[in-house]
Structures are given as C-alpha cells and as structure tokens.
C-alpha cells in the first residue's frame, strides 16, 4: 500500500516530521502536494480527507485518514519499526512527540504571534517581542528537556533504538539552527547529547540519502523555521539561568 502525504508543496514545515519517518522507514509514499499542487490539496481537504482533517499535514493509508503531525508520525513509525514495542515506551515516545509539537507551535508563533491568517509583515513588532521571549527562555527550556532525557536514557530519546521522536529532534535542531543561528550557537555548549543525536540521525543511511536528494526541500521563509535576522539574537545568560531553574 502506498501512503499519501498531503502537505504544502514548497516547504518542509510540519510535513517534514512525517517525511523523515516515511523516508527512514523506507516505505513508498506519494507527496501529493508536490505532484498535484495547491488545487489538489484544497480539493482533497474538502472531499476525500473530509470531515476529520482540519489542517495539513494529513496522511491517507487506504481508507485510514490521520491528521496531526505527531499522530501521523506515530502511526507510520509503529507500523514500520520506528517506535518502541511496549505500551509504556510507546506512550513515552508519544509524550516526547507531543512536547516537540508544542515547541513547533511556539516556533511558529515567533513569526505569527497574532494570527496565522495574516502575513509576518503585518505583525513584525509583536513578532520581535514574541521571538525575544522564545529565545530568552522557552528555547533553552525545551532543548534542555530533551538533553536531560538523553542524559537519563542514553543514545536515543526512548528505549534503546532510534524512533520517530529522534527524527523529530533532528529536525528541531536543524530548524532552530536555520531560524535562530545566534540563539542556538549560544545554547549549543549546554546540549552536547542533543547535537550528538542530531549527528547520529543525519548519518542513518536512508536519512543521509534523503537529505542529499531533491526530495528534501531547502529551509526557506515560508515554513515553520524562518530566518528573519530581526528575530534572532543570542539570549542573555542570566535570563537563561532563570529559565532553567523554573
Ligand atoms: N496540530 C496540527 C497543526 C497543523 C497546522 O497548523 N498546519 C498548518 C500548516 S503547517 C496549516 O495547514 N494551517 C492552516 C490552518 O490552521 O488554518 C499538527 O501538528 O499537524
């Protein structure tokens, strides 16, 4: 069975967290938006993906339609050996995946703090304030959390093998490095395990092949991770220390 991924064609965005799982699993999938374009996606949301699909990404597998990035990633991963086997660890993995989903939403809100319905250019000023708050406290809190999980668990975030949440953590480090290069460089010395995990994931043969392929869309100013120099700066050390104590 071929999986059909419905996602916007020109960005990594949230769809990338699903693409990485499909690619690492080595399964066949159709990236519907990239072949059919916006018209096909919008029509699908109204017809074959309705009534449950609200926003993209959405995955269709035969008569199954799944929405929400973390749930789609989990669904594919559990079918293809990229999730732990026990219920306990599957729930740990889902917990981390949903924490990463919260982080993704906060990254998104740095450039769209007022509404997703209007362009960044209409909300530049609140975006500056929101991005500062994200850089000064939230970013280190989320990344420090992943670092502490790795300190407790070892090479992988859950269990003793790579899972979909490690792929998501890879994408987070790559994306934050693109969008907030100064802020991430300041935090990097405190995140050795997370950066080592990023490298381990990048070296996985199917991921390495994918990253080198034209299927990997480059980061750009339309996705979740956007490089707006006005929104990036190294966070002051004192504020970070306070955030860590909370
Ligand atoms: N919780 C959902 C959020 C999905 C989402 O917001 N998708 C964006 C694109 S990345 C979208 O299509 N938004 C349209 C809208 O919210 O109206 C997920 O994790 O997949």
């Amino acid at each position: 069975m071929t999986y059909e991924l419905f996602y916007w064609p020109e960005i990594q965005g949230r769809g990338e967290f699903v693409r990485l799982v499909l690619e690492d699993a080595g399964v066949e999938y159709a990236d519907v938006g990239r072949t059919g374009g916006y018209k096909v996606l919008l029509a699908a949301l109204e017809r074959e993906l309705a009534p449950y699909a609200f926003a993209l990404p959405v995955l269709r597998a035969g008569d199954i339609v799944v929405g929400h990035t973390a749930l789609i990633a989990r669904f594919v991963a559990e079918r293809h050996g990229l999730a732990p086997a026990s219920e306990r660890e599957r729930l740990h993995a889902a917990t981390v995946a949903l924490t990463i989903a919260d982080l993704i939403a906060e990254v998104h809100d740095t450039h769209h703090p007022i509404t997703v319905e209007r362009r960044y250019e209409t909300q530049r000023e609140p975006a500056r304030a929101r991005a500062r708050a994200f850089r000064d406290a939230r970013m280190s809190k989320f990344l420090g959390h992943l670092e502490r999980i790795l300190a407790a668990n070892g090479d992988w975030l859950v269990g003793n093998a790579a899972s979909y949440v490690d792929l998501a953590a890879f994408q987070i480090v790559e994306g934050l490095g693109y969008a907030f290069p100064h802020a991430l460089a300041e935090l990097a010395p405190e995140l050795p395990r997370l950066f080592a995990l990023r490298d381990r994931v990048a070296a996985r043969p199917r991921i390495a092949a994918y990253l080198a392929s034209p299927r990997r869309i480059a980061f750009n100013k339309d996705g979740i991770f956007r490089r707006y120099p006005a929104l990036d700066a190294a966070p002051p050390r004192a504020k970070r220390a306070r955030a860590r104590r909370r």
Side-chain angles (χ1 to χ4, degrees):
M1 179 197 38
T2 302
Y3 292 104
E4 291 170 288
L5 171 64
F6 295 81
Y7 195 67
W8 310 112
E10 282 142 16
I11 58 170
Q12 292 186 12
R14 288 182 171 90
E16 197 64 12
F17 294 85
V18 179
R19 291 192 185 104
L20 286 167
V21 181
L22 292 162
E23 292 280 346
D24 195 284
V27 296
E28 249 184 70
Y29 69 100
D31 206 332
V32 177
R34 295 194 73 187
T35 45
Y38 286 87
K39 254 186 154 169
V40 171
L41 289 177
L42 295 174
L45 275 170
E46 279 187 16
R47 291 186 213 128
E48 62 261 39
L49 304 180
Y52 292 108
F54 174 74
L56 302 180
V58 171
L59 187 86
R60 187 162 62 165
D63 64 354
I64 297 174
V65 172
V66 193
H68 290 277
T69 309
L71 185 60
I72 303 168
R74 174 181 177 168
F75 168 70
V76 176
E78 289 185 355
R79 290 175 144 210
H80 297 285
L82 276 170
S86 71
E87 183 184 34
R88 178 175 173 272
E89 287 189 340
R90 284 189 171 190
L91 289 170
H92 286 164
T95 300
V96 178
L98 289 168
T99 303
I100 289 176
D102 287 347
L103 167 57
I104 294 167
E106 292 202 22
V107 172
H108 171 273
D109 289 354
T110 61
H111 47 79
H112 281 78
I114 304 294
T115 174
V116 67
E117 306 286 345
R118 293 176 58 205
R119 293 172 56 77
Y120 161 71
E121 286 73 16
T122 68
Q123 36 196 321
R124 279 178 197 268
E125 277 317 304
R128 272 181 194 265
R130 185 68 195 247
R132 189 180 318 114
F134 176 74
R135 293 188 319 260
D136 289 357
R138 303 297 293 171
M139 188 166 157
S140 59
K141 190 167 182 180
F142 276 107
L143 298 184
H145 174 67
L146 297 177
E147 181 73 15
R148 278 190 295 281
I149 296 177
L150 290 167
N153 195 60
D155 280 354
W156 307 105
L157 282 163
V158 180
N160 57 9
S163 74
Y164 67 103
V165 289
D166 299 300
L167 306 183
F170 158 82
Q171 180 66 7
I172 286 295
V173 176
E174 290 294 283
L176 290 174
Y178 173 75
F180 300 100
H182 293 96
L184 190 65
E186 179 71 20
L187 299 180
E190 296 165 20
L191 305 166
R193 294 176 181 85
L194 186 57
F195 275 82
L197 175 67
R198 187 273 306 267
D199 294 344
R200 263 195 300 284
V201 170
R204 288 171 69 77
R206 286 184 184 135
I207 294 294
Y210 169 61
L211 296 177
S213 79
R215 296 190 302 287
R216 171 79 166 181
I217 301 166
F219 285 110
N220 59 46
K221 278 194 182 161
D222 294 312
I224 296 285
F225 297 103
R226 301 185 183 193
R227 180 173 291 175
Y228 291 127
L231 303 187
D232 183 32
R237 283 166 193 276
K239 282 193 182 166
R240 271 185 18 241
R242 275 203 301 279
R244 268 204 306 278
R245 283 198 296 273
R246 253 180 250 138

